[in-house]
Amino acid sequence: MSKSDEVPDKGSNADEAYEAIVQRLRLGKIGRGDRIVDTVIAAELNMSRMPAREALLRLVNEGYLVGSTRGFRLPELTQADVLEIFEIRKILEPRAAALAAVALTPDQLEQLESAFFEARAGFETGNAQMMFDANVRFRNAWLNAVPNRRLVAMIERFFDQVNAVRIATLHDAESRQLSIAIGETLLAGFRRGDSLYVFEQMYSFVEAARAKFVALNSSGATKKARAVK
Amino acid sequence: MSKSDEVPDKGSNADEAYEAIVQRLRLGKIGRGDRIVDTVIAAELNMSRMPAREALLRLVNEGYLVGSTRGFRLPELTQADVLEIFEIRKILEPRAAALAAVALTPDQLEQLESAFFEARAGFETGNAQMMFDANVRFRNAWLNAVPNRRLVAMIERFFDQVNAVRIATLHDAESRQLSIAIGETLLAGFRRGDSLYVFEQMYSFVEAARAKFVALNSSGATKKARAVK
DNA sequence: TAGCCAATAACTGTATACAGAAAGAGACGC
DNA sequence: GCGTCTCTTTCTGTATACAGTTATTGGCTA
């Protein structure tokens, strides 16, 4: 009744399973229609069913997954669902970014600069993966600067939920260009510590992402969000 | 291996345990320092340990409880924690109330009127319990009118978290008076469907509640939030 | 060949048992 | 009387088993 002795324990088996599944979700390794079964996760992670089940239930509670009688899967987000999430992002992210603008340390600003330049380099050389990774670091850098950690947790959760079912947009050239443009304006605001400017730019960015989503899904309000993969 | 046959099943044992515990939290029946043990909950609800544990873990995930090696308990919220939650309420509740002002049906408005008049009657006759109950109905009425249900879920969660450790403020005469005054102004705004007005009034209300909390806890930033009970 | 029905398999929900960790209580020594 | 140490008890985390529900598959009939 022992698990692997390879690495010292950082948490329980359930925590380990949770982190492993969240990582797969964030990397887009779980597709729409995939079925996640707790016995399979347990076997893969060399643990019993119960901690794997506990992790899956936590992900259900957080909105990443839905349960069924035949395994767990990604939620089917309708267009209305995604619009609702965008509405929440418009409420939360401008405010968080404004708080970050005030609270940023020089070190955090340096990380933002570095991440942005790398994203731009990826954009200019057509390296989508490099750009994607740099964008994640850019986002993490300003989120790390927000003092209100509960606010950050909410933002990350809703962002992750949408991302789990929609990763393809970054590979659209227009979206990439938009991403670079808004990164540049946000960075300027963060440099100046200009809360109001950052607020407005982030609001515009989320609104532009929302409008783009609507344009891509113009064929019906109840249509399921386009699957990734 | 059967549970009580008294009522037809509405959900699983775990769901039943969750609802039972949430109800106790909302009614303030779980005090600071109380220890909640899954075997005890299971025995009370005539089920085995696992569904009771599942419910407790869900409440931990939602921030209502924290786990320890000796049972689950209410979180120790520092003043900084509570201020952080107030900050989130200031972001979320004005916006939700504004959305409700637009979306309210005549029936929902009628429920708001009815709840407010009853709260005022409770205030005028010194019936704190009646006032408390009516305030809950008032709040539920406008929250029910908000189209964005994810937003409502977040608001309820943070509100419940603070309420689980702080219920006593409503019994303070000044807080009760403030509550009636803001109820009146909100109702006026809901009647007119005036989003901006409702937004501003709700913002003022949450800010006033925050300022009151600070005044009551002026002795130190790291002091634990005053216990209920 | 297609549709329907029955059986089987695959999952979930839950019950029970066990091991281990940590907290609490009691005793002893200073 | 207080502090420390040791032992016991009380919890959690997890493993395994079982029952039930539901989805899937295969066979039969029209």
Side-chain angles (χ1 to χ4, degrees):
Chain A
M1 200 180 278
S2 68
K3 42 184 183 68
S4 171
D5 294 327
E6 286 166 5
V7 293
D9 247 304
K10 293 285 290 230
S12 61
N13 277 355
D15 289 338
E16 178 189 331
Y18 175 87
E19 294 301 335
I21 304 167
V22 154
Q23 195 67 9
R24 293 185 199 182
L25 286 163
R26 283 176 176 159
L27 294 175
K29 289 179 172 174
I30 297 176
R32 181 166 176 261
D34 281 357
R35 206 167 54 181
I36 305 141
V37 175
D38 54 27
T39 49
V40 174
I41 297 290
E44 285 168 356
L45 299 177
N46 195 29
M47 61 180 66
S48 80
R49 228 187 112 209
M50 292 301 105
R53 171 177 169 77
E54 190 177 305
L56 289 164
L57 290 175
R58 188 174 154 193
L59 290 161
V60 167
N61 195 27
E62 291 174 355
Y64 290 100
L65 297 173
V66 293
S68 73
T69 58
R70 277 311 177 105
F72 298 82
R73 61 184 68 235
L74 293 180
E76 298 278 322
L77 295 179
T78 64
Q79 188 170 346
D81 286 321
V82 177
L83 291 178
E84 189 164 286
I85 291 172
F86 269 118
E87 187 168 37
I88 291 176
R89 286 186 62 194
K90 279 162 70 179
I91 296 171
L92 300 178
E93 291 184 33
R95 186 59 167 276
L99 292 170
V102 172
L104 273 171
T105 64
D107 194 52
Q108 284 164 334
L109 185 55
E110 175 57 32
Q111 287 171 37
L112 278 167
E113 304 261 4
S114 170
F116 171 72
F117 290 137
E118 186 166 330
R120 198 168 62 180
F123 173 70
E124 286 166 349
T125 58
N127 189 334
Q129 186 62 49
M130 177 183 184
M131 186 181 170
F132 178 84
D133 293 343
N135 275 352
V136 168
R137 287 209 311 284
F138 185 85
R139 185 178 173 84
N140 285 340
W142 72 262
L143 285 174
N144 281 341
V146 180
N148 193 321
R149 307 312 302 166
R150 287 174 169 82
L151 178 56
V152 170
M154 285 194 294
I155 289 172
E156 283 177 333
R157 208 169 115 189
F158 282 107
F159 187 79
D160 285 339
Q161 273 182 47
V162 169
N163 256 20
V165 298
R166 293 184 56 80
I167 285 181
T169 48
L170 191 67
H171 300 289
D172 164 61
E174 197 179 328
S175 295
R176 293 207 291 269
Q177 195 150 14
L178 173 67
S179 172
I180 291 298
I182 196 61
E184 194 146 30
T185 61
L186 282 178
L187 189 55
F190 283 134
R191 280 189 191 119
R192 299 203 303 270
D194 190 339
S195 290
L196 184 57
Y197 180 77
V198 166
F199 184 104
E200 289 169 347
Q201 293 306 313
M202 183 61 80
Y203 187 92
S204 297
F205 169 59
V206 179
E207 170 56 26
R210 187 202 68 87
K212 181 141 192 77
F213 169 79
V214 168
L216 287 170
N217 286 268
S218 56
S219 50
T222 57
K223 192 172 187 176
K224 294 295 192 287
R226 293 262 181 81
V228 152
K229 233 183 143 116
Chain B
M1 201 180 279
S2 68
K3 42 184 180 64
S4 170
D5 295 325
E6 287 166 4
V7 293
D9 248 306
K10 294 284 290 226
S12 61
N13 279 355
D15 289 337
E16 179 188 328
Y18 176 86
E19 294 300 335
I21 304 166
V22 154
Q23 195 66 9
R24 293 185 199 181
L25 286 163
R26 284 177 177 157
L27 295 176
K29 287 180 172 174
I30 297 176
R32 180 165 177 261
D34 281 357
R35 202 168 56 183
I36 305 141
V37 174
D38 54 27
T39 48
V40 174
I41 298 290
E44 285 167 357
L45 298 179
N46 195 28
M47 63 180 66
S48 81
R49 227 187 112 211
M50 292 300 103
R53 170 179 171 75
E54 191 176 303
L56 288 165
L57 289 175
R58 188 174 154 191
L59 291 161
V60 168
N61 197 28
E62 291 174 354
Y64 291 100
L65 296 173
V66 293
S68 72
T69 57
R70 276 306 177 113
F72 298 81
R73 61 183 69 234
L74 293 180
E76 299 278 322
L77 296 178
T78 63
Q79 186 170 348
D81 286 322
V82 177
L83 290 178
E84 189 166 287
I85 291 172
F86 268 119
E87 187 168 37
I88 291 175
R89 287 186 60 196
K90 280 162 69 180
I91 295 171
L92 300 178
E93 292 185 33
R95 185 62 166 274
L99 292 170
V102 171
L104 273 171
T105 63
D107 193 53
Q108 282 164 336
L109 185 55
E110 174 58 32
Q111 286 172 37
L112 278 167
E113 306 261 3
S114 170
F116 172 72
F117 290 137
E118 186 167 328
R120 199 168 61 181
F123 173 69
E124 285 165 351
T125 59
N127 190 335
Q129 185 64 49
M130 178 182 183
M131 185 181 172
F132 178 85
D133 292 345
N135 275 353
V136 168
R137 286 208 312 285
F138 185 86
R139 184 179 175 80
N140 285 340
W142 72 262
L143 285 174
N144 280 342
V146 179
N148 193 321
R149 307 311 302 168
R150 288 175 170 81
L151 178 56
V152 170
M154 283 193 294
I155 288 171
E156 284 178 333
R157 209 168 116 190
F158 284 105
F159 188 79
D160 284 338
Q161 271 181 50
V162 170
N163 256 19
V165 299
R166 291 185 58 77
I167 284 180
T169 47
L170 191 66
H171 301 287
D172 164 61
E174 197 179 328
S175 296
R176 292 206 293 268
Q177 194 149 17
L178 172 68
S179 172
I180 291 298
I182 197 60
E184 192 144 34
T185 61
L186 282 178
L187 188 55
F190 283 135
R191 281 191 190 117
R192 300 204 302 269
D194 190 338
S195 290
L196 185 57
Y197 181 77
V198 165
F199 184 103
E200 288 169 348
Q201 293 306 312
M202 184 60 80
Y203 188 92
S204 297
F205 170 58
V206 179
E207 171 54 26
R210 188 201 68 87
K212 180 141 192 79
F213 169 79
V214 167
L216 286 170
N217 288 269
S218 57
S219 48
T222 56
K223 191 173 190 178
K224 293 295 193 285
R226 295 265 180 78
V228 150
K229 231 179 140 128

